[in-house]
C-alpha cells in the first residue's frame, strides 16, 4: 500500500498551480460573498491535506475495490434521490449528521477510479460488443440519477469524462467514427426538437435558457439577464480590474445584477475585479493543470494510471471551459462550477482528492523509470 518515494520526484509544479488558482478563488469568493470565504479556506486546507495523504498511497490498492467504489457511488446518489435536501428546486444535497455535501461532485472522481480499473482489466477485449454494452449499462445508473436531480450539466461533464477515459483506454477508431456518424446528426435533430414549443425532452426552464442564449435581446429582462450582465461585468474590468472588495457604484457585482456570483458566475467576479490580466491568469493556470495531468497520463506505469490522470484532465479542462463559456455567453446558462475557484467545499475537496491520485500516478511512473 505504501511505497518508498523520493521527495524530488514529487510533482511540486502541479501543487503550485493548484494552490495558486485556489488562492485566487478564495479571494474572489470572499469578494463575491464575504461570509463564504472562511468556508472556502477550510475546504482548501482539508482538500490539500487529503490530497497529500492520498498521494503516498499506491493507487493500485484503492482500485482493487473498484466494484465497492461503484456501489458506494450509486448508494450515495440513491440517498440523494430519497432523502436529499431540496435547494432552488433541485435535490442535489445530502445531509448526514451536521455535514451537507453534494454526491454528484464525488461521483465524478469515483467513476474515474472505477472505469480506470475496469478498462485495465478488460483491456484485451475492450472493443468487444459485450464489453461495450457492459460499460454503457454501468454508466447509465449514475448518469440517470444525476440527471434526475435535475443536474443536466453535471451529467454532460460525467459523460465527457467517460468518453475521454474510454478513448485513452484503447477504444477503436472504427467505433469512434461509427459513434460520431450516429451522434452528430442525432444531436442536430434533438436540438431542433428541443426548440419546438411543445417539446418534452427537457424541462421548460432548460429550454428557455437555450432560447435566451439564441435570442438574448428577447429575454434581456428575464432568462438572459444574468448572462448579459456577466459579460458587461467582465468587459468593465478592462486590463487590471476594479480591485477585489471594491465599493464602486459602477460595479455590476455591487449592484447585485448577477445572482450566485460566488459559484456558477465566479469568472464574472474575476473578470470585473481582477481584469483581463486576472482572467487570463486563471485561464492559464487551469490550462497548465490540465496539461500537467495529461503529461502524467502519458508517463503512467499502467493503463489504469493513464485513465486516472486523463480523467482528471478532462474534468478540469472541460468543466473550466464550460463555466467560462457560460460567463462569456458562448454557451447557454448552466450550473457548472469553475474548478478550484467557485465556492463549494464538496467540489473543491473532490478535486483535491482526484489530484491526490494523479500525484501518486506521477510518483509511481517516476519510480518505474528509476528502477
Amino acid at each position: 500500500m505504501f511505497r518508498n518515494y523520493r521527495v524530488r520526484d514529487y510533482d511540486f509544479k502541479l501543487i503550485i498551480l493548484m494552490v495558486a488558482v485556489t488562492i485566487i478563488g478564495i479571494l474572489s469568493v470572499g469578494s463575491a460573498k464575504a461570509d463564504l470565504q472562511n468556508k472556502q479556506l477550510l475546504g482548501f486546507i482539508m482538500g490539500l491535506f487529503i490530497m497529500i495523504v492520498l498521494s503516498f498511497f499506491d493507487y493500485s490498492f484503492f482500485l482493487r475495490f473498484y466494484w465497492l467504489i461503484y456501489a458506494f457511488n450509486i448508494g450515495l446518489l440513491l440517498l440523494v434521490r430519497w432523502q436529499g435536501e431540496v435547494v432552488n428546486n433541485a435535490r442535489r444535497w445530502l445531509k448526514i449528521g451536521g455535514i451537507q455535501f453534494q454526491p454528484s461532485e464525488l461521483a465524478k472522481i469515483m467513476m474515474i477510479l472505477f472505469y480506470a480499473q475496469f478498462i485495465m482489466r478488460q483491456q484485451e477485449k475492450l472493443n468487444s460488443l459485450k464489453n461495450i454494452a457492459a460499460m454503457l449499462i454501468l454508466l447509465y445508473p449514475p448518469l440517470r440519477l444525476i440527471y434526475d436531480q435535475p443536474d443536466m450539466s453535471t451529467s454532460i461533464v460525467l459523460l465527457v469524462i467517460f468518453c475521454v477515459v474510454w478513448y485513452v483506454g484503447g477504444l477503436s477508431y472504427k467505433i469512434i467514427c461509427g459513434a460520431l456518424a450516429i451522434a452528430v446528426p442525432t444531436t442536430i435533430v434533438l436540438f431542433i426538437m428541443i426548440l419546438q414549443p411543445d417539446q418534452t425532452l427537457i424541462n421548460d426552464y432548460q429550454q428557455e435558457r437555450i432560447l435566451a442564449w439564441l435570442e438574448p435581446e428577447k429575454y434581456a429582462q428575464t432568462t438572459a439577464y444574468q448572462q448579459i450582465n456577466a459579460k458587461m461585468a467582465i468587459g468593465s474590468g478592462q486590463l487590471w480590474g476594479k480591485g477585489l472588495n471594491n465599493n464602486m457604484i459602477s460595479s455590476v457585482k455591487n449592484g447585485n445584477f448577477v445572482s450566485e456570483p460566488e459559484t456558477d458566475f465566479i469568472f464574472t467576479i474575476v473578470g470585473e475585479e481582477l481584469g483581463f490580466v486576472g482572467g487570463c491568469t486563471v485561464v492559464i493556470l487551469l490550462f497548465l493543470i490540465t496539461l500537467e495531468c495529461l503529461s502524467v497520463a502519458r508517463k503512467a506505469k499502467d493503463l489504469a494510471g493513464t485513465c486516472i490522470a486523463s480523467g482528471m484532465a478532462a474534468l478540469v479542462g472541460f468543466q473550466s471551459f464550460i463555466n467560462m463559456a457560460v460567463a462569456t455567453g458562448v454557451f447557454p446558462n448552466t450550473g457548472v462550477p469553475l474548478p478550484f475557484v467557485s465556492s463549494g467545499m464538496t467540489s473543491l475537496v473532490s478535486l483535491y482528492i482526484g489530484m491526490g491520485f494523479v500525484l501518486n500516478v506521477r510518483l509511481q511512473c517516476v519510480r518505474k523509470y528509476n528502477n
Side-chain angles (χ1 to χ4, degrees):
M1 186 165 61
F2 289 101
R3 294 182 182 273
N4 295 320
Y5 302 114
R6 298 183 305 183
V7 174
R8 67 182 182 183
D9 294 333
Y10 211 69
D11 197 345
F12 290 105
K13 179 170 63 174
L14 181 58
I15 295 176
I16 291 170
L17 291 171
M18 288 188 290
V19 170
V21 74
T22 304
I23 290 173
I24 293 175
I26 293 170
L27 295 174
S28 300
V29 167
S31 182
K33 202 168 184 178
D35 58 341
L36 291 177
Q37 189 170 45
N38 288 337
K39 188 176 179 181
Q40 192 74 357
L41 180 60
L42 176 62
F44 167 55
I45 295 171
M46 286 177 55
L48 188 64
F49 174 76
I50 295 171
M51 179 189 72
I52 292 173
V53 171
L54 284 176
S55 68
F56 290 107
F57 281 82
D58 187 345
Y59 66 88
S60 300
F61 170 78
F62 291 98
L63 296 186
R64 295 176 192 172
F65 308 100
Y66 69 114
W67 282 113
L68 187 61
I69 291 171
Y70 181 84
F72 182 68
N73 182 33
I74 298 299
L76 285 178
L77 294 175
L78 284 172
L79 280 175
V80 173
R81 189 184 187 95
W82 297 330
Q83 302 178 17
E85 300 285 323
V86 178
V87 179
N88 296 328
N89 299 317
R91 192 183 298 272
R92 302 174 185 173
W93 298 87
L94 191 61
K95 193 170 185 179
I96 299 177
I99 301 175
Q100 182 170 294
F101 62 100
Q102 194 171 353
S104 59
E105 293 296 325
L106 286 169
K108 301 170 189 174
I109 309 301
M110 287 191 282
M111 290 305 288
I112 290 172
L113 297 177
F114 170 75
Y115 275 113
Q117 181 70 355
F118 185 91
I119 288 172
M120 188 172 73
R121 292 177 71 92
Q122 304 296 327
Q123 185 177 0
E124 298 301 323
K125 46 186 177 180
L126 185 67
N127 294 300
S128 67
L129 184 60
K130 181 181 177 180
N131 190 71
I132 291 171
M135 292 188 67
L136 293 174
I137 290 170
L138 289 167
L139 177 66
Y140 180 76
L143 204 62
R144 184 57 188 265
L145 288 169
I146 292 172
Y147 181 81
D148 287 344
Q149 291 180 358
D151 194 351
M152 185 169 68
S153 54
T154 299
S155 301
I156 293 172
V157 172
L158 187 60
L159 183 60
V160 169
I161 292 171
F162 168 76
C163 291
V164 170
V165 172
W166 199 3
Y167 168 74
V168 299
L171 183 63
S172 169
Y173 280 99
K174 292 181 180 179
I175 297 175
I176 294 173
C177 292
L180 288 174
I182 297 172
V184 172
T186 301
T187 302
I188 295 173
V189 171
L190 288 175
F191 186 76
I192 294 172
M193 291 174 64
I194 285 171
L195 298 179
Q196 303 308 309
D198 56 347
Q199 66 85 31
T200 57
L201 294 173
I202 60 176
N203 295 323
D204 291 340
Y205 79 91
Q206 293 171 331
Q207 182 197 42
E208 191 168 312
R209 286 182 176 182
I210 295 173
L211 292 172
W213 171 62
L214 294 171
E215 301 178 275
E217 298 82 8
K218 185 178 178 180
Y219 296 85
Q221 297 303 316
T222 54
T223 311
Y225 181 77
Q226 191 168 219
Q227 273 189 302
I228 291 172
N229 287 328
K231 290 186 287 184
M232 186 186 306
I234 293 171
S236 69
Q238 298 185 27
L239 184 61
W240 296 104
K242 301 172 182 176
L244 291 167
N245 303 300
N246 70 79
N247 56 4
M248 297 176 65
I249 299 175
S250 61
S251 170
V252 176
K253 180 208 74 178
N254 293 338
N256 294 319
F257 292 115
V258 177
S259 61
E260 306 294 336
E262 73 281 4
T263 53
D264 302 339
F265 282 86
I266 191 67
F267 193 69
T268 300
I269 304 301
V270 174
E272 181 176 46
E273 303 195 344
L274 298 178
F276 179 77
V277 173
C280 285
T281 300
V282 169
V283 171
I284 291 170
L285 287 172
L286 291 170
F287 180 67
L288 291 176
I289 290 171
T290 303
L291 285 183
E292 186 63 19
C293 288
L294 291 175
S295 175
V296 172
R298 187 172 58 86
K299 302 173 184 175
K301 71 170 185 178
D302 57 22
L303 185 58
T306 299
C307 289
I308 290 172
S310 298
M312 288 305 300
L315 171 56
V316 174
F318 182 71
Q319 196 163 296
S320 298
F321 173 72
I322 291 294
N323 179 278
M324 290 184 279
V326 169
T328 53
V330 176
F331 278 5
N333 190 356
T334 183
V336 174
L338 185 60
F340 301 105
V341 182
S342 289
S343 173
M345 283 186 64
T346 311
S347 174
L348 188 58
V349 173
S350 297
L351 285 165
Y352 273 98
I353 289 173
M355 287 300 175
F357 287 103
V358 173
L359 287 171
N360 186 256
V361 172
R362 157 78 179 181
L363 284 171
Q364 292 281 346
C365 72
V366 172
R367 188 174 182 273
K368 179 187 74 171
Y369 291 128
N370 287 338
N371 290 339

